[in-house]
């Protein structure tokens, strides 16, 4: 299911608009602890630059310190205390927006006071304030963008009209200030987008889990009801059979009552001889199977069962005769006369006369709907399992699944003594690529690398996104030398891939790989750590290479 966001405000829209209020509560709970720390650290960092004031402008230092320590830092520390208030949640974003504007405004005020050429350089402090606000202050994109644009506007007014700066300096300062603001806005937008997407995925997992539990409860209730029905029918049949033995007169009366009960029963009731040929069927059997009475009498019951289960059914009923099991329960699909298929849940009793087994007597009920529910439940369980072990971006397995699989593989190889090799891959200079072209293009690289890795593996191999731009591959029944072939194939295939983060520009990326074969009795932690160190050795030796050991 694709979630819908407003392109500017990033709010949930359409059928997902009801998620906005829960998300606000979730965002506050996830960010409040970080916010308190960031406010305190921001105040301390703001204070530390007071030393620069004294060093560069000793004559104006007291005025600058008044702005820095008395006004801005006091308000920042006060805001940190206010973040512990129970009322803070309701005005958090407008309050932090004003705080961000105040922090930038303080530096703009210092620029207005500082003599040339020092007022040329203090704009760098504005870039630090923007970085602090966009990346660490936990302000949502729309509010932080407003604050960033307000700070830029204050600087322009001061640098042009209040305390003019030479045009060449102003042009240079504006380039870096505006670039920093735009990059900050984009990074804040992307961070909030992924926080909202992760919150949505978490909500979907909870819904799937609730559906799974509900279906399981419904299935258990249906099984309980059907089991009780079968027990009641079996009890009635046993009482009738016992009554037949009392006397001839009682037998005739009992047979009449029994025939009336069977003929009017909603379930299929039938008898077969020892070889499984029908000797008696009630009306429900005729209605359910579509056969007339003269068509079904003499027909073999086993021949109506689905061919894929026919052999198993023969063994089941033969075993009932051999073991002399008086009563059994079985479930088999049968074909009706029109070719359609239904599932029967069947209680089957042996017919014993004079100590000799004469045939079978069965009560069957249509359980096709229950079987459909069981199939739906199994599919829901598989969807839930896939959601919990697959990395959403690369469609490879995630790190959680890796830890369970590597443990299972090591347990297996210690029993059967076959080799196991591990590859750990890391994209070279991926951070620089992200910083240059953005996280969206970076995500495209990770997706393509996932496809390259899959393409180079055997069916028995498995690949995992270990974290960030790190990937790990398990190669069962593979020596280190054989693993080197696979690693080299992955490295060469990635070198062939051309990425186009900008129109008309192709970029090629490389990977560094660590490779090692498992050593007997080695812990999983030591094994993974050893491969990790080999990967870093490839980095140190110039990247785009494989290190083994």
């Amino acid at each position: 299911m694709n979630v819908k966001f407003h392109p500017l405000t990033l709010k949930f829209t359409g059928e997902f608009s009801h998620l906005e209020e829960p998300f606000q509560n979730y965002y506050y709970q996830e960010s409040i602890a970080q916010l308190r720390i960031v406010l305190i650290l921001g105040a301390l960092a703001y204070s530390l630059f007071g030393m620069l004031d004294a060093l560069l402008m000793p004559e104006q230092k007291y005025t600058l310190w008044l702005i820095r320590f008395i006004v801005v830092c006091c308000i920042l520390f006060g805001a940190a205390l206010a973040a512990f208030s129970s009322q803070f949640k309701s005005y958090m974003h407008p309050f932090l927006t004003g705080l961000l504007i105040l922090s930038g405004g303080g530096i703009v005020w210092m620029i207005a006071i500082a003599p040339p050429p020092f007022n040329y350089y203090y704009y760098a402090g504005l870039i630090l304030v923007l970085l602090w606000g966009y990346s660490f202050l936990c302000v949502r994109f729309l509010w932080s963008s407003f604050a960033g644009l307000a700070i830029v506007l204050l600087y322009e007014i001061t640098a042009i009209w209040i305390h003019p700066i030479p045009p060449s300096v102003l042009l240079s300062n504006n380039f870096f200030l505006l670039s920093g603001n735009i990059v900050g806005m984009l990074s804040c937008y992307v961070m909030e987008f992924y926080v909202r997407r992760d919150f949505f995925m978490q909500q979907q997992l909870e819904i799937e889990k609730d559906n799974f539990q509900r279906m399981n409860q419904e299935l258990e209730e249906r099984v309980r009801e059907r089991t009780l029905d079968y027990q009641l029918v079996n009890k009635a049949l046993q009482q009738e059979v016992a009554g037949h033995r009392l006397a001839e007169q009682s037998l005739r009366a009992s047979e009449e009552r029994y025939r009336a009960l069977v003929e009017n029963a909603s379930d299929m009731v039938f008898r077969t001889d020892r070889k499984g040929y029908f000797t008696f069927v009630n009306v429900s059997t005729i209605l359910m199977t579509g056969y007339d009475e003269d068509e079904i009498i003499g027909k073999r019951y086993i021949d109506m069962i689905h061919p894929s289960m026919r052999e198993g059914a023969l063994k089941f009923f033969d075993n009932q005769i051999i073991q002399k099991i008086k009563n059994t329960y079985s479930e088999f699909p049968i074909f009706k006369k029109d070719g359609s298929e239904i599932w029967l849940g069947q209680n089957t009793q042996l017919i014993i006369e004079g100590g000799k087994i004469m045939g079978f007597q069965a009560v069957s009920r249509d359980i096709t709907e229950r079987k459909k529910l069981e199939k739906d439940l199994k599919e829901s369980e598989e969807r839930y399992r896939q959601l919990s072990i697959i990395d959403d971006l690369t469609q490879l397995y995630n790190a959680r699944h890796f830890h369970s699989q590597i443990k299972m593989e090591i347990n297996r190889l210690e029993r059967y003594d076959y080799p196991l090799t591990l590859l750990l891959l890391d994209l070279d200079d991926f951070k620089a690529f992200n910083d240059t072209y953005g996280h969206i293009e970076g995500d495209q690289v990770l997706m393509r690398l996932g496809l390259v890795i899959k393409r180079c593996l055997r069916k028995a191999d498995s690949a995992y996104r270990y974290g960030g731009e790190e990937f790990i591959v398990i190669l069962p029944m593979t020596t280190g030398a054989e693993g080197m072939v696979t690693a080299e194939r992955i490295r060469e295939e990635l070198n062939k891939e051309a990425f186009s983060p900008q129109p008309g520009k192709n970029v090629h990326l490389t990977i560094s790989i660590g490779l090692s074969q498992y050593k007997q009795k080695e812990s999983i932690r030591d094994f993974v750590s050893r491969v990790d160190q080999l990967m870093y050795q490839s980095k140190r030796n110039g990247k785009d290479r494989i290190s083994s050991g």
Side-chain angles (χ1 to χ4, degrees), residues 392-535:
D392 184 51
L393 178 63
T394 63
Q395 295 302 300
L396 299 179
Y397 294 117
N398 57 27
R400 181 192 311 158
H401 191 52
F402 164 73
H403 290 294
S404 64
Q405 287 298 109
I406 190 67
K407 183 177 180 181
M408 183 179 70
E409 290 292 346
I410 289 175
N411 288 339
R412 186 182 298 155
L413 74 85
E414 287 183 345
R415 289 198 306 271
Y416 300 110
D417 192 24
Y418 62 75
L420 173 70
T421 295
L422 204 61
L423 308 182
L424 201 152
L425 309 85
D426 188 275
L427 275 166
D428 296 327
D429 303 317
F430 185 64
K431 182 180 184 303
F433 183 93
N434 265 347
D435 292 342
T436 304
Y437 304 110
H439 289 280
I440 293 176
E441 292 299 328
D443 286 351
Q444 291 297 317
V445 171
L446 295 175
M447 289 169 61
R448 292 262 296 278
L449 177 54
L451 293 173
V452 168
I453 293 172
K454 281 184 177 180
R455 216 165 51 226
C456 297
L457 298 184
R458 306 166 303 178
K459 186 175 182 180
D461 305 332
S462 55
Y464 310 79
R465 186 182 180 190
Y466 199 53
E469 65 268 25
E470 284 190 335
F471 297 79
I472 199 161
V473 177
I474 299 175
L475 303 175
M477 294 180 287
T478 305
T479 64
E482 294 167 337
M484 181 66 75
V485 175
T486 300
E488 183 62 29
R489 184 161 58 244
I490 294 172
R491 189 189 69 80
E492 290 177 353
E493 286 297 312
L494 180 63
N495 285 342
K496 297 176 185 176
E497 294 286 321
F499 301 95
S500 303
Q502 293 177 353
K505 182 171 185 178
N506 286 338
V507 177
H508 291 273
L509 294 176
T510 62
I511 51 174
S512 295
I513 304 177
L515 176 152
S516 188
Q517 184 175 327
Y518 176 75
K519 299 177 181 178
Q520 285 294 332
K521 306 302 180 182
E522 184 178 24
S523 70
I524 295 174
R525 181 175 181 179
D526 290 344
F527 185 29
V528 174
S529 176
R530 187 157 55 82
V531 179
D532 189 44
Q533 291 303 313
L534 288 167
M535 183 274 292

Side-chain angles (χ1 to χ4, degrees), residues 283-301:
V283 175
S284 292
T285 304
I286 294 170
L287 293 174
M288 284 190 189
T289 62
Y291 288 100
D292 291 332
E293 184 174 3
D294 59 348
E295 291 176 313
I296 198 169
I297 296 297
K299 186 177 182 66
R300 197 166 71 137
Y301 173 65

Side-chain angles (χ1 to χ4, degrees), residues 209-254:
K209 185 177 180 181
D210 291 342
N211 289 340
F212 167 77
Q213 292 176 343
R214 177 180 54 78
M215 292 178 67
N216 194 39
Q217 289 173 354
E218 291 177 356
L219 181 59
E220 288 177 352
E221 185 61 28
R222 286 174 179 250
V223 170
R224 193 180 299 113
E225 291 174 357
R226 297 293 173 87
T227 301
L228 182 60
D229 290 343
Y230 292 144
Q231 290 173 346
L232 291 173
V233 172
N234 278 336
K235 186 176 180 181
L237 288 173
Q238 290 170 358
Q239 290 173 349
E240 289 295 327
V241 171
H244 290 171
R245 297 194 183 104
L246 293 177
E248 187 68 30
Q249 184 178 1
S250 177
L251 178 61
R252 292 195 189 96
S254 180

Side-chain angles (χ1 to χ4, degrees), residues 76-94:
L76 287 175
F77 280 117
L81 292 175
F84 288 91
S85 166
S86 59
Q87 303 299 318
F88 185 73
K89 177 181 177 182
S90 58
Y91 56 83
M92 170 179 166
H93 291 288

Side-chain angles (χ1 to χ4, degrees), residues 91-280:
Y91 56 83
M92 170 179 166
H93 291 288
F95 180 85
L96 293 176
T97 302
L99 199 63
L100 186 54
I101 295 172
L102 172 67
S103 302
I107 295 177
V108 174
W109 191 357
M110 296 179 200
I111 292 172
I113 295 170
F118 302 110
N119 63 329
Y120 302 168
Y121 313 133
Y122 265 51
Y123 84 96
L126 294 178
I127 295 178
L128 293 177
V129 169
L130 291 174
L131 175 63
W132 177 67
Y134 283 126
S135 300
F136 303 106
L137 200 55
C138 304
V139 187
R140 285 179 49 213
F141 165 74
L142 203 60
W143 290 97
S144 60
S145 298
F146 172 77
L149 293 173
I151 291 171
V152 172
L153 180 61
L154 288 174
Y155 175 77
E156 298 300 329
I157 293 170
T158 302
I160 296 173
W161 289 293
I162 298 176
H163 197 170
I165 293 174
S168 60
V169 177
L170 180 60
L171 181 62
S172 174
N173 290 358
N174 274 337
F175 174 79
F176 291 106
L177 184 60
L178 291 173
S179 297
N181 190 55
I182 291 170
V183 170
M185 289 171 65
L186 289 175
S187 65
C188 187
Y189 186 97
V190 170
M191 285 190 292
E192 183 175 344
F193 175 85
Y194 279 104
V195 169
R196 285 178 176 272
R197 191 195 66 173
D198 291 344
F199 170 78
F200 173 76
M201 293 301 296
Q202 181 180 339
Q203 294 293 310
Q204 292 300 109
L205 281 172
E206 290 296 326
I207 292 171
E208 284 291 328
K209 185 177 180 181
D210 291 342
N211 289 340
F212 167 77
Q213 292 176 343
R214 177 180 54 78
M215 292 178 67
N216 194 39
Q217 289 173 354
E218 291 177 356
L219 181 59
E220 288 177 352
E221 185 61 28
R222 286 174 179 250
V223 170
R224 193 180 299 113
E225 291 174 357
R226 297 293 173 87
T227 301
L228 182 60
D229 290 343
Y230 292 144
Q231 290 173 346
L232 291 173
V233 172
N234 278 336
K235 186 176 180 181
L237 288 173
Q238 290 170 358
Q239 290 173 349
E240 289 295 327
V241 171
H244 290 171
R245 297 194 183 104
L246 293 177
E248 187 68 30
Q249 184 178 1
S250 177
L251 178 61
R252 292 195 189 96
S254 180
E255 284 178 346
E256 291 298 324
R257 290 195 303 271
Y258 172 76
R259 183 172 293 277
L261 172 66
V262 170
E263 289 293 341
N264 294 293
S266 59
D267 293 333
M268 290 174 56
V269 180
F270 58 87
R271 288 182 179 178
T272 71
D273 60 19
R274 187 183 174 107
K275 294 183 179 180
Y277 290 90
F278 287 102
T279 59
F280 165 79

